[in-house]
Amino acid sequence: MDTNKPLRYGGATKILLVAAMPKEVQELLPLFSEPPKKEVSPLGFEGWKGTTHKGQSLLVLTTGIGKVSAAVATTEAIHLFAPSLILNIGVSGTLSTSVERGDIVVANWVCYHDVYCGAEIPYGQVQGYPLRYPVETSLVEKFRETEVPFHLGGVACGDRFLSSPAEFSFIKANFPDALALDMESAAVAQTAYIHRLPLMVIRLISDTPDRADGYAQYRRFWGEKAFRSERFAAIHKLINAI
Ligand SMILES: C[C@H]1O[C@@H](n2cnc3c(N)ncnc32)[C@H](O)[C@@H]1O
């Protein structure tokens, strides 16, 4: 497969937004200018389809948690919806002392933190694919114009919820410059890469995985309605700039 030349971004008229959980998707519905139409795909993935405030066609899809669900749901939606841009949005753990709960991370690369293909291949790399998946960054300047604060950096992804100092240190040792951690972004990135589609990843920090109360922070995040909605509103501003 010749994936050396991903197609370049050619105008985001049709946006596929993938998020893992229904509670994330609920926070993204204000992106529609009118009440969207609920769709259930042949494989059973639920989505909301409609039009953005700028008249773009938008499908917001719930993939389920983890790499396989994210990849399968995204693949099916690419074939059915034929998007021109893929967005992955969701909550994340922080991997940096400079990135706090409630902060937004816009990825400029994403990688797997739980892949190992043997001694000859760098840790994290699937043989035959990039170690760090490219992410569309031509819209970052538009994001800056919104004056919404965000960090630009790497995002590490794997099939584990991280809430242990030892695991945190292991990932930091392998990817010292990564800012955020999740369970879907690199799977969506590999799927976008195979389909030669541009991808953007925006993650909202819900927890601090190297702290003993990391999982409690994550759980609490879903109870903090006002805080959460305010942070998602900042993400809406970024997406409205696309
Ligand atoms: C558990 C869900 O929340 C995201 N998520 C939020 N915090 C973390 C963390 N500390 N470790 C892994 N995934 C996390 C994942 O992407 C998944 O969708």
Side-chain angles (χ1 to χ4, degrees), residues 67 109-118 120-133 155-158 170-171 174-175 186 190:
K67 295 182 327 194
W109 54 269
V110 294
C111 69
Y112 293 118
H113 68 68
D114 61 351
V115 165
Y116 183 58
C117 288
E120 284 168 12
I121 312 217
Y123 183 83
Q125 183 169 5
V126 176
Q127 189 164 10
Y129 285 91
L131 172 59
R132 293 181 172 203
Y133 286 92
V155 175
C157 164
F170 178 79
I171 295 173
N174 284 298
F175 306 102
Q190 187 173 358

Short mmCIF file of all heavy atoms in Angstrom, two decimals, residues 67 109-118 120-133 155-158 170-171 174-175 186 190:
data_model
loop_
_atom_site.label_atom_id
_atom_site.label_comp_id
_atom_site.label_asym_id
_atom_site.label_seq_id
_atom_site.Cartn_x
_atom_site.Cartn_y
_atom_site.Cartn_z
N LYS A 67 -8.92 1.47 20.79
CA LYS A 67 -8.37 1.61 19.43
C LYS A 67 -9.19 0.88 18.37
O LYS A 67 -9.43 1.42 17.29
CB LYS A 67 -6.92 1.11 19.43
CG LYS A 67 -6.02 1.99 20.30
CD LYS A 67 -4.55 1.61 20.32
CE LYS A 67 -4.21 0.20 20.20
NZ LYS A 67 -2.82 -0.12 20.55
N TRP A 109 1.18 15.84 16.36
CA TRP A 109 1.45 14.44 15.98
C TRP A 109 0.76 13.55 17.00
O TRP A 109 0.46 14.00 18.12
CB TRP A 109 2.96 14.12 15.91
CG TRP A 109 3.75 14.44 17.14
CD1 TRP A 109 4.40 15.62 17.40
CD2 TRP A 109 3.99 13.60 18.29
NE1 TRP A 109 5.02 15.56 18.64
CE2 TRP A 109 4.78 14.33 19.20
CE3 TRP A 109 3.60 12.30 18.64
CZ2 TRP A 109 5.20 13.81 20.43
CZ3 TRP A 109 4.02 11.78 19.86
CH2 TRP A 109 4.81 12.53 20.74
N VAL A 110 0.51 12.31 16.60
CA VAL A 110 -0.02 11.32 17.55
C VAL A 110 0.74 10.01 17.36
O VAL A 110 1.25 9.72 16.28
CB VAL A 110 -1.54 11.08 17.41
CG1 VAL A 110 -2.34 12.29 17.78
CG2 VAL A 110 -1.91 10.62 16.01
N CYS A 111 0.83 9.24 18.45
CA CYS A 111 1.54 7.96 18.37
C CYS A 111 0.87 6.94 19.27
O CYS A 111 0.05 7.29 20.12
CB CYS A 111 2.99 8.13 18.81
SG CYS A 111 3.14 8.48 20.56
N TYR A 112 1.24 5.67 19.09
CA TYR A 112 0.83 4.62 20.03
C TYR A 112 1.88 4.54 21.14
O TYR A 112 3.07 4.55 20.86
CB TYR A 112 0.79 3.26 19.33
CG TYR A 112 -0.27 3.12 18.27
CD1 TYR A 112 0.06 2.90 16.94
CD2 TYR A 112 -1.62 3.18 18.60
CE1 TYR A 112 -0.91 2.74 15.96
CE2 TYR A 112 -2.61 3.03 17.63
CZ TYR A 112 -2.25 2.81 16.32
OH TYR A 112 -3.22 2.66 15.36
N HIS A 113 1.42 4.40 22.38
CA HIS A 113 2.39 4.21 23.46
C HIS A 113 2.44 2.75 23.90
O HIS A 113 3.21 2.39 24.78
CB HIS A 113 2.08 5.11 24.66
CG HIS A 113 0.82 4.77 25.40
ND1 HIS A 113 0.67 3.63 26.15
CD2 HIS A 113 -0.36 5.43 25.51
CE1 HIS A 113 -0.54 3.59 26.68
NE2 HIS A 113 -1.19 4.67 26.30
N ASP A 114 1.64 1.87 23.25
CA ASP A 114 1.57 0.48 23.72
C ASP A 114 1.88 -0.53 22.60
O ASP A 114 1.48 -1.68 22.67
CB ASP A 114 0.19 0.19 24.32
CG ASP A 114 -0.95 0.37 23.32
OD1 ASP A 114 -0.69 0.87 22.20
OD2 ASP A 114 -2.08 -0.02 23.64
N VAL A 115 2.59 -0.05 21.56
CA VAL A 115 2.90 -0.95 20.43
C VAL A 115 4.39 -1.30 20.47
O VAL A 115 5.24 -0.43 20.69
CB VAL A 115 2.55 -0.26 19.09
CG1 VAL A 115 3.19 -1.00 17.92
CG2 VAL A 115 1.04 -0.18 18.90
N TYR A 116 4.68 -2.56 20.29
CA TYR A 116 6.08 -2.98 20.18
C TYR A 116 6.18 -4.10 19.14
O TYR A 116 5.52 -5.13 19.26
CB TYR A 116 6.60 -3.46 21.54
CG TYR A 116 8.07 -3.84 21.51
CD1 TYR A 116 9.04 -2.90 21.11
CD2 TYR A 116 8.49 -5.13 21.85
CE1 TYR A 116 10.38 -3.25 21.07
CE2 TYR A 116 9.84 -5.47 21.82
CZ TYR A 116 10.78 -4.52 21.42
OH TYR A 116 12.10 -4.86 21.37
N CYS A 117 6.96 -3.86 18.09
CA CYS A 117 7.06 -4.84 16.99
C CYS A 117 8.42 -5.52 16.95
O CYS A 117 8.77 -6.13 15.94
CB CYS A 117 6.78 -4.16 15.66
SG CYS A 117 5.05 -3.72 15.41
N GLY A 118 9.22 -5.41 18.01
CA GLY A 118 10.52 -6.08 18.03
C GLY A 118 11.67 -5.08 18.00
O GLY A 118 11.51 -3.91 17.66
N GLU A 120 14.13 -4.22 16.24
CA GLU A 120 14.62 -3.39 15.12
C GLU A 120 13.72 -2.19 14.84
O GLU A 120 14.03 -1.36 13.99
CB GLU A 120 14.73 -4.25 13.86
CG GLU A 120 15.95 -5.14 13.92
CD GLU A 120 15.94 -6.20 12.85
OE1 GLU A 120 15.12 -6.12 11.92
OE2 GLU A 120 16.76 -7.11 12.97
N ILE A 121 12.59 -2.14 15.51
CA ILE A 121 11.62 -1.08 15.21
C ILE A 121 11.43 -0.21 16.45
O ILE A 121 11.29 -0.75 17.56
CB ILE A 121 10.27 -1.71 14.81
CG1 ILE A 121 10.56 -2.77 13.77
CG2 ILE A 121 9.25 -0.66 14.38
CD1 ILE A 121 9.67 -2.95 12.69
N PRO A 122 11.45 1.12 16.30
CA PRO A 122 11.31 1.97 17.48
C PRO A 122 10.05 1.64 18.27
O PRO A 122 9.00 1.33 17.68
CB PRO A 122 11.22 3.38 16.89
CG PRO A 122 11.83 3.29 15.55
CD PRO A 122 11.60 1.89 15.06
N TYR A 123 10.17 1.72 19.59
CA TYR A 123 9.03 1.46 20.46
C TYR A 123 7.87 2.39 20.08
O TYR A 123 8.06 3.59 19.93
CB TYR A 123 9.42 1.66 21.94
CG TYR A 123 8.26 1.32 22.84
CD1 TYR A 123 8.01 0.00 23.21
CD2 TYR A 123 7.38 2.31 23.26
CE1 TYR A 123 6.91 -0.32 23.98
CE2 TYR A 123 6.28 1.99 24.03
CZ TYR A 123 6.04 0.68 24.39
OH TYR A 123 4.94 0.36 25.14
N GLY A 124 6.69 1.82 19.90
CA GLY A 124 5.51 2.61 19.56
C GLY A 124 5.12 2.52 18.10
O GLY A 124 4.01 2.86 17.73
N GLN A 125 6.07 2.06 17.26
CA GLN A 125 5.80 2.06 15.81
C GLN A 125 5.24 0.72 15.34
O GLN A 125 5.76 -0.34 15.66
CB GLN A 125 7.10 2.35 15.05
CG GLN A 125 6.90 2.44 13.55
CD GLN A 125 8.13 3.00 12.83
OE1 GLN A 125 9.17 3.23 13.44
NE2 GLN A 125 8.00 3.21 11.55
N VAL A 126 4.15 0.79 14.57
CA VAL A 126 3.65 -0.40 13.88
C VAL A 126 4.49 -0.54 12.61
O VAL A 126 4.62 0.43 11.84
CB VAL A 126 2.16 -0.23 13.49
CG1 VAL A 126 1.68 -1.44 12.68
CG2 VAL A 126 1.30 -0.02 14.72
N GLN A 127 5.08 -1.69 12.40
CA GLN A 127 5.96 -1.89 11.25
C GLN A 127 5.24 -1.47 9.96
O GLN A 127 4.10 -1.86 9.72
CB GLN A 127 6.35 -3.36 11.16
CG GLN A 127 7.42 -3.63 10.14
CD GLN A 127 8.06 -5.00 10.35
OE1 GLN A 127 7.58 -5.81 11.14
NE2 GLN A 127 9.14 -5.24 9.65
N GLY A 128 5.91 -0.64 9.18
CA GLY A 128 5.33 -0.20 7.91
C GLY A 128 4.53 1.08 8.01
O GLY A 128 4.05 1.59 7.00
N TYR A 129 4.38 1.59 9.22
CA TYR A 129 3.63 2.84 9.43
C TYR A 129 4.50 3.84 10.17
O TYR A 129 5.51 3.47 10.76
CB TYR A 129 2.34 2.55 10.23
CG TYR A 129 1.29 1.88 9.36
CD1 TYR A 129 1.23 0.50 9.27
CD2 TYR A 129 0.43 2.64 8.60
CE1 TYR A 129 0.31 -0.11 8.45
CE2 TYR A 129 -0.51 2.04 7.77
CZ TYR A 129 -0.56 0.66 7.70
OH TYR A 129 -1.47 0.08 6.87
N PRO A 130 4.12 5.11 10.16
CA PRO A 130 4.96 6.08 10.87
C PRO A 130 4.93 5.88 12.38
O PRO A 130 3.92 5.42 12.91
CB PRO A 130 4.33 7.44 10.52
CG PRO A 130 3.21 7.19 9.61
CD PRO A 130 2.95 5.72 9.53
N LEU A 131 6.02 6.25 13.03
CA LEU A 131 6.05 6.23 14.51
C LEU A 131 5.13 7.34 15.03
O LEU A 131 4.37 7.14 15.97
CB LEU A 131 7.49 6.46 14.99
CG LEU A 131 7.70 6.66 16.49
CD1 LEU A 131 7.21 5.45 17.28
CD2 LEU A 131 9.16 6.94 16.79
N ARG A 132 5.23 8.49 14.38
CA ARG A 132 4.39 9.63 14.76
C ARG A 132 3.48 9.95 13.57
O ARG A 132 3.98 10.33 12.51
CB ARG A 132 5.26 10.84 15.09
CG ARG A 132 6.08 10.61 16.34
CD ARG A 132 6.94 11.81 16.69
NE ARG A 132 7.57 11.60 17.98
CZ ARG A 132 8.01 12.55 18.77
NH1 ARG A 132 7.90 13.82 18.40
NH2 ARG A 132 8.56 12.27 19.94
N TYR A 133 2.20 9.77 13.76
CA TYR A 133 1.28 10.04 12.65
C TYR A 133 1.16 11.54 12.42
O TYR A 133 1.04 12.31 13.37
CB TYR A 133 -0.11 9.44 12.93
CG TYR A 133 -0.08 7.95 12.77
CD1 TYR A 133 0.17 7.12 13.85
CD2 TYR A 133 -0.24 7.36 11.52
CE1 TYR A 133 0.24 5.75 13.70
CE2 TYR A 133 -0.17 5.99 11.35
CZ TYR A 133 0.08 5.20 12.45
OH TYR A 133 0.17 3.84 12.29
N VAL A 155 0.36 13.69 21.13
CA VAL A 155 -0.64 12.94 21.92
C VAL A 155 -0.30 11.46 21.79
O VAL A 155 -0.08 10.95 20.68
CB VAL A 155 -2.07 13.23 21.40
CG1 VAL A 155 -3.08 12.35 22.13
CG2 VAL A 155 -2.43 14.71 21.59
N ALA A 156 -0.23 10.77 22.92
CA ALA A 156 0.07 9.33 22.94
C ALA A 156 -1.21 8.55 23.24
O ALA A 156 -2.02 8.97 24.06
CB ALA A 156 1.13 9.03 24.01
N CYS A 157 -1.34 7.40 22.58
CA CYS A 157 -2.61 6.65 22.64
C CYS A 157 -2.33 5.16 22.88
O CYS A 157 -1.36 4.61 22.34
CB CYS A 157 -3.30 6.85 21.29
SG CYS A 157 -4.64 5.71 20.92
N GLY A 158 -3.16 4.54 23.68
CA GLY A 158 -3.02 3.10 23.90
C GLY A 158 -4.27 2.55 24.55
O GLY A 158 -5.12 3.31 25.01
N PHE A 170 6.85 5.35 32.38
CA PHE A 170 7.24 4.54 31.22
C PHE A 170 6.90 5.29 29.92
O PHE A 170 7.71 5.39 29.00
CB PHE A 170 6.50 3.19 31.28
CG PHE A 170 6.78 2.30 30.10
CD1 PHE A 170 7.96 1.57 30.03
CD2 PHE A 170 5.86 2.19 29.07
CE1 PHE A 170 8.22 0.75 28.94
CE2 PHE A 170 6.11 1.37 27.98
CZ PHE A 170 7.29 0.65 27.91
N ILE A 171 5.70 5.85 29.86
CA ILE A 171 5.28 6.56 28.64
C ILE A 171 6.11 7.85 28.48
O ILE A 171 6.57 8.17 27.38
CB ILE A 171 3.77 6.86 28.68
CG1 ILE A 171 3.00 5.54 28.64
CG2 ILE A 171 3.35 7.75 27.51
CD1 ILE A 171 1.51 5.67 28.83
N ASN A 174 9.48 7.14 27.02
CA ASN A 174 9.46 6.83 25.58
C ASN A 174 9.04 8.02 24.72
O ASN A 174 9.48 8.15 23.57
CB ASN A 174 8.52 5.65 25.31
CG ASN A 174 9.14 4.34 25.71
OD1 ASN A 174 10.16 3.94 25.16
ND2 ASN A 174 8.58 3.68 26.71
N PHE A 175 8.18 8.87 25.26
CA PHE A 175 7.66 10.01 24.49
C PHE A 175 7.73 11.27 25.36
O PHE A 175 6.69 11.80 25.79
CB PHE A 175 6.22 9.74 24.03
CG PHE A 175 6.11 8.46 23.27
CD1 PHE A 175 5.60 7.32 23.88
CD2 PHE A 175 6.54 8.37 21.95
CE1 PHE A 175 5.53 6.12 23.19
CE2 PHE A 175 6.47 7.17 21.25
CZ PHE A 175 5.95 6.05 21.88
N ALA A 186 -4.57 7.69 18.05
CA ALA A 186 -3.65 7.13 17.06
C ALA A 186 -4.34 6.10 16.16
O ALA A 186 -3.97 5.93 14.99
CB ALA A 186 -2.43 6.51 17.75
N GLN A 190 -4.22 6.39 12.30
CA GLN A 190 -3.79 5.34 11.36
C GLN A 190 -4.87 5.10 10.30
O GLN A 190 -4.57 4.92 9.12
CB GLN A 190 -3.46 4.04 12.11
CG GLN A 190 -2.86 3.00 11.18
CD GLN A 190 -2.37 1.75 11.91
OE1 GLN A 190 -2.45 1.65 13.13
NE2 GLN A 190 -1.86 0.80 11.15
#
